[in-house]
Amino acid sequence: MTRHAEDGPRTARLTDTAATVPSAAAHVAASPAAALEVDGRTTGPEASDRRDEDRREGGRRAEDDTGAGEDDELTAREERQGARVREAIRDELEPAVQGEDRSAIISLRNVSLAFDRPILQDVSFVARKGETIVVVGESGTGKSTILKLILRLLVPDTGQVCIEGRDISRLSFADALKVRQRMGMVFQGAALFDSMSVFENVAYPLREQTDMSEEEIDTRVREKLKFVDLEPDQILDQLPSQLSGGMRKRVGIARGMAADPPIMLYDEPTSGLDPLTTGTVTRLIMKLQRELGVTSVVVSHDIRSTFRMATRVALLAERRIVFSGTPEEMTGSDDEYIRDFLGGL
Ligand SMILES: Nc1ncnc2c1ncn2[C@@H]1O[C@H](COP(=O)(O)OP(=O)(O)OP(=O)(O)O)[C@@H](O)[C@H]1O
Ligand SMILES: [Mg+2]
């Protein structure tokens, strides 16, 4: 029933309708709300990030430096600012939503897929430029399957998966590969190449997808490691087994973003991490959205980080998206299943 991506005939029929709407996130970055956020991030969360790292990765113990009250206050301030920025992004996108939906970067339209039983039925959602859609749902509901459909590792039985205006299930394998290069994927558990150094891991997509010189690759790898708050000189030559779980996740993000893809996909980026490292990884995903205007689809089990990073949340249950809306709409819902899913938040 299910066709794997590389099977079967493919007719390449490309209509280049790639979105040309300017980056909503870039506009937002110039807005007062975002300025506040930028200030907040510089002085608040990143300072807190560094404390996180001190605690996690062998630095000084910082418990005496940082009272729990101060942490709570920082988190509350971040959350208020995060809500304002998400709202600004949605406002920015509203005119596009009403008119022709040219800002759609990823869209699933009435997608159905079955393996030995139906997994997804009539699933539709749109991720617009600069949005972070977080897909949540119980285990086995098809969240990772959605990422595989977006990557065209799977094709739907019916319906369309469009990336930047192209129905990717109709592309040839070679064209599909090109579309895949528009996306950075962060796999569950980071999935680094164990026998390769951090440098080679992050350089991998650059060697595969670009003809950059060794010098350019070196510069780019260092830049990406710094973006994820890792000190290149300290870890470039290390093997993944020498890193902590949180560092491995961040190297995974650096690798995913190495070739500057406009789309990032994350499968459970915070699973298995302690709350402090979870906060660090969540902030990194938000940083990619806000500073680089990246469009993201994140699969997560972590409701708290979902609410921090999502512009919209899609809840998958019984083969369908049973809720799609803002974090605020989700917490305000009195639907019994949603309330149960949120566990009384
Ligand atoms: N290649 C495959 N062949 C057959 N069944 C599959 C295949 N891939 C996934 N499935 C089934 O599809 C369903 C959805 O799988 P998927 O991995 O998307 O779930 P998930 O929501 O990501 O779950 P989890 O939260 O546990 O990661 C599961 O029942 C799984 O067993
Ligand atoms: Mg999964």
Side-chain angles (χ1 to χ4, degrees):
M1 236 176 311
T2 299
R3 289 171 294 145
H4 284 265
E6 280 70 48
D7 299 338
R10 293 283 166 258
T11 316
R13 200 194 59 174
L14 304 186
T15 48
D16 193 356
T17 52
T20 49
V21 172
S23 158
H27 285 186
V28 171
S31 75
L36 245 179
E37 178 59 25
V38 170
D39 285 344
R41 200 174 45 240
T42 312
T43 57
E46 286 202 349
S48 154
D49 263 2
R50 279 190 287 277
R51 278 196 298 275
D52 296 353
E53 292 319 303
D54 284 343
R55 289 179 189 171
R56 285 302 309 147
E57 273 137 22
R60 71 197 159 83
R61 297 291 305 172
E63 261 155 26
D64 294 341
D65 301 354
T66 315
E70 191 191 329
D71 268 354
D72 285 351
E73 203 179 299
L74 260 179
T75 308
R77 196 168 70 214
E78 263 183 84
E79 276 168 7
R80 281 195 303 277
Q81 290 170 348
R84 278 201 294 275
V85 169
R86 286 196 300 268
E87 201 170 321
I89 289 173
R90 285 194 296 270
D91 287 351
E92 180 78 17
L93 292 168
E94 213 53 44
V97 176
Q98 283 159 11
E100 189 191 347
D101 199 358
R102 288 192 305 149
S103 61
I105 299 293
I106 301 168
S107 57
L108 269 67
R109 295 183 194 148
N110 310 105
V111 164
S112 296
L113 175 76
F115 292 114
D116 45 352
R117 62 182 177 88
I119 303 295
L120 300 173
Q121 216 169 331
D122 211 19
V123 166
S124 300
F125 74 82
V126 172
R128 299 188 178 83
K129 176 114 182 73
E131 271 201 296
T132 301
I133 306 284
V134 184
V135 181
V136 297
E138 290 176 51
S139 187
T141 45
K143 303 182 299 296
S144 298
T145 300
I146 285 181
L147 295 184
K148 287 178 193 158
L149 284 163
I150 295 171
L151 281 164
R152 201 190 175 283
L153 296 171
L154 290 169
V155 291
D157 295 332
T158 57
Q160 293 181 325
V161 180
C162 297
I163 306 297
E164 296 174 322
R166 291 171 171 179
D167 178 357
I168 52 168
S169 42
R170 306 180 71 95
L171 298 184
S172 68
F173 180 62
D175 285 327
L177 265 186
K178 282 188 212 144
V179 174
R180 210 174 283 159
Q181 291 181 357
R182 308 275 298 154
M183 309 181 213
M185 175 76 200
V186 179
F187 296 93
Q188 188 164 355
L192 300 176
F193 302 114
D194 289 339
S195 58
M196 288 187 192
S197 67
V198 166
F199 177 85
E200 285 304 330
N201 265 281
V202 180
Y204 187 81
L206 302 173
R207 296 196 196 288
E208 287 285 298
Q209 299 171 22
T210 73
D211 49 12
M212 289 169 94
S213 68
E214 277 307 304
E215 201 182 332
E216 287 167 326
I217 290 178
D218 187 76
T219 307
R220 178 71 70 87
V221 168
R222 287 172 182 277
E223 175 195 317
K224 297 305 176 193
L225 288 172
K226 281 187 195 147
F227 188 90
V228 298
D229 286 336
L230 291 171
E231 183 44 61
D233 287 329
Q234 282 172 17
I235 70 159
L236 274 177
D237 296 328
Q238 298 207 313
L239 290 172
S241 57
Q242 294 174 284
L243 308 177
S244 73
M247 288 166 100
R248 276 200 293 273
K249 290 268 186 196
R250 283 185 284 158
V251 172
I253 294 175
R255 183 179 63 181
M257 65 183 289
D260 283 337
I263 299 168
M264 288 288 289
L265 308 173
Y266 304 84
D267 200 349
E268 307 276 5
T270 59
S271 66
L273 299 182
D274 66 78
L276 291 172
T277 317
T278 293
T280 306
V281 170
T282 305
R283 275 192 284 275
L284 275 175
I285 296 174
M286 294 161 79
K287 188 168 154 187
L288 253 79
Q289 178 208 25
R290 292 178 197 166
E291 292 183 8
L292 307 178
V294 168
T295 307
S296 310
V297 178
V298 186
V299 165
S300 182
H301 272 125
D302 183 333
I303 293 296
R304 187 174 152 81
S305 80
T306 293
F307 282 176
R308 288 182 64 194
M309 70 176 120
T311 48
R312 279 183 303 124
V313 184
L315 171 60
L316 206 53
E318 295 182 355
R319 304 181 291 283
R320 295 171 190 278
I321 291 183
V322 294
F323 168 87
S324 171
T326 64
E328 295 79 5
E329 285 164 354
M330 195 173 196
T331 42
S333 168
D334 48 21
D335 178 273
E336 201 177 331
Y337 181 77
I338 294 176
R339 296 235 61 82
D340 282 351
F341 185 79
L342 297 180
L345 265 187

mmCIF file of all heavy atoms in Angstrom, residues 7 10 33 35 49 69 81 92 98 141 145 168 171 188 218 245 262 325 341:
data_model
loop_
_atom_site.group_PDB
_atom_site.id
_atom_site.type_symbol
_atom_site.label_atom_id
_atom_site.label_comp_id
_atom_site.label_asym_id
_atom_site.label_seq_id
_atom_site.Cartn_x
_atom_site.Cartn_y
_atom_site.Cartn_z
ATOM 1 N N ASP A 7 10.575 4.218 -4.841
ATOM 2 C CA ASP A 7 9.898 3.267 -5.712
ATOM 3 C C ASP A 7 9.061 3.996 -6.752
ATOM 4 O O ASP A 7 8.702 5.125 -6.598
ATOM 5 C CB ASP A 7 8.912 2.394 -4.897
ATOM 6 C CG ASP A 7 9.625 1.612 -3.844
ATOM 7 O OD1 ASP A 7 10.843 1.394 -3.991
ATOM 8 O OD2 ASP A 7 8.979 1.233 -2.875
ATOM 9 N N ARG A 10 8.035 8.284 -11.510
ATOM 10 C CA ARG A 10 7.884 9.659 -11.057
ATOM 11 C C ARG A 10 7.869 10.571 -12.263
ATOM 12 O O ARG A 10 8.746 10.479 -13.129
ATOM 13 C CB ARG A 10 9.055 10.077 -10.163
ATOM 14 C CG ARG A 10 9.081 9.347 -8.873
ATOM 15 C CD ARG A 10 8.024 9.922 -7.929
ATOM 16 N NE ARG A 10 7.829 9.009 -6.838
ATOM 17 C CZ ARG A 10 6.796 8.176 -6.745
ATOM 18 N NH1 ARG A 10 5.866 8.167 -7.665
ATOM 19 N NH2 ARG A 10 6.693 7.373 -5.727
ATOM 20 N N ALA A 33 8.362 44.739 19.497
ATOM 21 C CA ALA A 33 8.269 43.524 20.313
ATOM 22 C C ALA A 33 9.549 42.708 20.187
ATOM 23 O O ALA A 33 10.081 42.190 21.157
ATOM 24 C CB ALA A 33 7.076 42.684 19.864
ATOM 25 N N ALA A 35 12.492 43.808 19.277
ATOM 26 C CA ALA A 35 13.632 44.494 19.870
ATOM 27 C C ALA A 35 13.714 44.146 21.349
ATOM 28 O O ALA A 35 14.771 43.835 21.873
ATOM 29 C CB ALA A 35 13.479 45.997 19.676
ATOM 30 N N ASP A 49 21.619 30.645 29.717
ATOM 31 C CA ASP A 49 22.225 29.524 28.983
ATOM 32 C C ASP A 49 23.587 29.199 29.544
ATOM 33 O O ASP A 49 23.933 28.060 29.763
ATOM 34 C CB ASP A 49 22.478 29.933 27.522
ATOM 35 C CG ASP A 49 21.354 29.464 26.618
ATOM 36 O OD1 ASP A 49 20.402 28.872 27.136
ATOM 37 O OD2 ASP A 49 21.480 29.709 25.409
ATOM 38 N N GLY A 69 14.324 31.945 42.594
ATOM 39 C CA GLY A 69 13.408 33.048 42.303
ATOM 40 C C GLY A 69 13.839 33.803 41.066
ATOM 41 O O GLY A 69 13.035 34.113 40.197
ATOM 42 N N GLN A 81 7.817 37.522 26.655
ATOM 43 C CA GLN A 81 8.405 38.073 25.425
ATOM 44 C C GLN A 81 8.187 37.124 24.263
ATOM 45 O O GLN A 81 7.868 37.547 23.159
ATOM 46 C CB GLN A 81 9.898 38.324 25.633
ATOM 47 C CG GLN A 81 10.135 39.491 26.583
ATOM 48 C CD GLN A 81 11.593 39.598 26.995
ATOM 49 O OE1 GLN A 81 12.376 38.699 26.754
ATOM 50 N NE2 GLN A 81 11.939 40.695 27.633
ATOM 51 N N GLU A 92 2.032 39.484 11.261
ATOM 52 C CA GLU A 92 2.767 39.743 10.029
ATOM 53 C C GLU A 92 2.288 38.827 8.900
ATOM 54 O O GLU A 92 2.194 39.206 7.749
ATOM 55 C CB GLU A 92 4.250 39.484 10.299
ATOM 56 C CG GLU A 92 5.168 39.688 9.136
ATOM 57 C CD GLU A 92 5.452 41.157 8.871
ATOM 58 O OE1 GLU A 92 5.197 41.976 9.768
ATOM 59 O OE2 GLU A 92 5.887 41.436 7.772
ATOM 60 N N GLN A 98 -4.847 35.602 4.211
ATOM 61 C CA GLN A 98 -6.124 35.972 3.610
ATOM 62 C C GLN A 98 -6.061 35.933 2.077
ATOM 63 O O GLN A 98 -6.988 35.535 1.418
ATOM 64 C CB GLN A 98 -6.519 37.378 4.073
ATOM 65 C CG GLN A 98 -7.050 37.358 5.492
ATOM 66 C CD GLN A 98 -6.966 38.713 6.156
ATOM 67 O OE1 GLN A 98 -6.695 39.710 5.492
ATOM 68 N NE2 GLN A 98 -7.180 38.747 7.448
ATOM 69 N N THR A 141 1.485 7.837 16.806
ATOM 70 C CA THR A 141 0.402 8.497 16.066
ATOM 71 C C THR A 141 0.854 8.969 14.679
ATOM 72 O O THR A 141 0.028 9.436 13.904
ATOM 73 C CB THR A 141 -0.160 9.709 16.844
ATOM 74 O OG1 THR A 141 0.928 10.475 17.350
ATOM 75 C CG2 THR A 141 -1.061 9.274 17.988
ATOM 76 N N THR A 145 6.496 10.039 10.976
ATOM 77 C CA THR A 145 6.061 9.766 9.600
ATOM 78 C C THR A 145 5.826 11.084 8.857
ATOM 79 O O THR A 145 6.165 11.203 7.675
ATOM 80 C CB THR A 145 4.774 8.903 9.640
ATOM 81 O OG1 THR A 145 5.081 7.696 10.322
ATOM 82 C CG2 THR A 145 4.273 8.594 8.246
ATOM 83 N N ILE A 168 6.107 17.601 -3.911
ATOM 84 C CA ILE A 168 7.345 16.820 -4.003
ATOM 85 C C ILE A 168 7.110 15.357 -4.356
ATOM 86 O O ILE A 168 8.011 14.680 -4.820
ATOM 87 C CB ILE A 168 8.216 16.915 -2.728
ATOM 88 C CG1 ILE A 168 7.406 16.588 -1.485
ATOM 89 C CG2 ILE A 168 8.889 18.261 -2.640
ATOM 90 C CD1 ILE A 168 8.281 16.386 -0.263
ATOM 91 N N LEU A 171 8.039 14.642 -7.945
ATOM 92 C CA LEU A 171 9.383 14.931 -8.464
ATOM 93 C C LEU A 171 10.155 13.650 -8.774
ATOM 94 O O LEU A 171 9.924 12.610 -8.161
ATOM 95 C CB LEU A 171 10.187 15.730 -7.435
ATOM 96 C CG LEU A 171 9.660 17.109 -7.036
ATOM 97 C CD1 LEU A 171 10.659 17.769 -6.094
ATOM 98 C CD2 LEU A 171 9.428 17.982 -8.248
ATOM 99 N N GLN A 188 16.370 12.333 16.162
ATOM 100 C CA GLN A 188 16.263 11.982 17.581
ATOM 101 C C GLN A 188 17.611 11.417 18.031
ATOM 102 O O GLN A 188 18.248 10.668 17.300
ATOM 103 C CB GLN A 188 15.156 10.932 17.736
ATOM 104 C CG GLN A 188 14.824 10.640 19.168
ATOM 105 C CD GLN A 188 13.503 9.910 19.306
ATOM 106 O OE1 GLN A 188 12.788 9.703 18.335
ATOM 107 N NE2 GLN A 188 13.202 9.516 20.513
ATOM 108 N N ASP A 218 36.045 25.098 6.858
ATOM 109 C CA ASP A 218 36.555 25.326 8.210
ATOM 110 C C ASP A 218 35.874 26.545 8.842
ATOM 111 O O ASP A 218 35.416 26.499 9.985
ATOM 112 C CB ASP A 218 38.076 25.529 8.150
ATOM 113 C CG ASP A 218 38.679 25.606 9.533
ATOM 114 O OD1 ASP A 218 38.805 24.537 10.156
ATOM 115 O OD2 ASP A 218 38.969 26.732 10.006
ATOM 116 N N GLY A 245 25.324 14.580 26.410
ATOM 117 C CA GLY A 245 24.124 14.470 25.573
ATOM 118 C C GLY A 245 23.701 15.819 25.003
ATOM 119 O O GLY A 245 23.338 15.934 23.832
ATOM 120 N N PRO A 262 16.824 26.777 4.497
ATOM 121 C CA PRO A 262 15.748 27.652 4.965
ATOM 122 C C PRO A 262 14.691 26.920 5.783
ATOM 123 O O PRO A 262 13.811 27.538 6.369
ATOM 124 C CB PRO A 262 15.138 28.192 3.662
ATOM 125 C CG PRO A 262 15.485 27.181 2.618
ATOM 126 C CD PRO A 262 16.762 26.533 3.042
ATOM 127 N N GLY A 325 -3.494 25.211 16.448
ATOM 128 C CA GLY A 325 -3.685 26.581 16.901
ATOM 129 C C GLY A 325 -2.497 27.049 17.709
ATOM 130 O O GLY A 325 -1.477 26.356 17.817
ATOM 131 N N PHE A 341 -4.401 15.572 27.430
ATOM 132 C CA PHE A 341 -3.076 15.509 26.804
ATOM 133 C C PHE A 341 -2.110 16.468 27.496
ATOM 134 O O PHE A 341 -0.938 16.156 27.713
ATOM 135 C CB PHE A 341 -3.182 15.840 25.309
ATOM 136 C CG PHE A 341 -1.881 15.675 24.597
ATOM 137 C CD1 PHE A 341 -1.428 14.419 24.218
ATOM 138 C CD2 PHE A 341 -1.075 16.771 24.338
ATOM 139 C CE1 PHE A 341 -0.204 14.255 23.593
ATOM 140 C CE2 PHE A 341 0.148 16.625 23.711
ATOM 141 C CZ PHE A 341 0.582 15.358 23.336
#
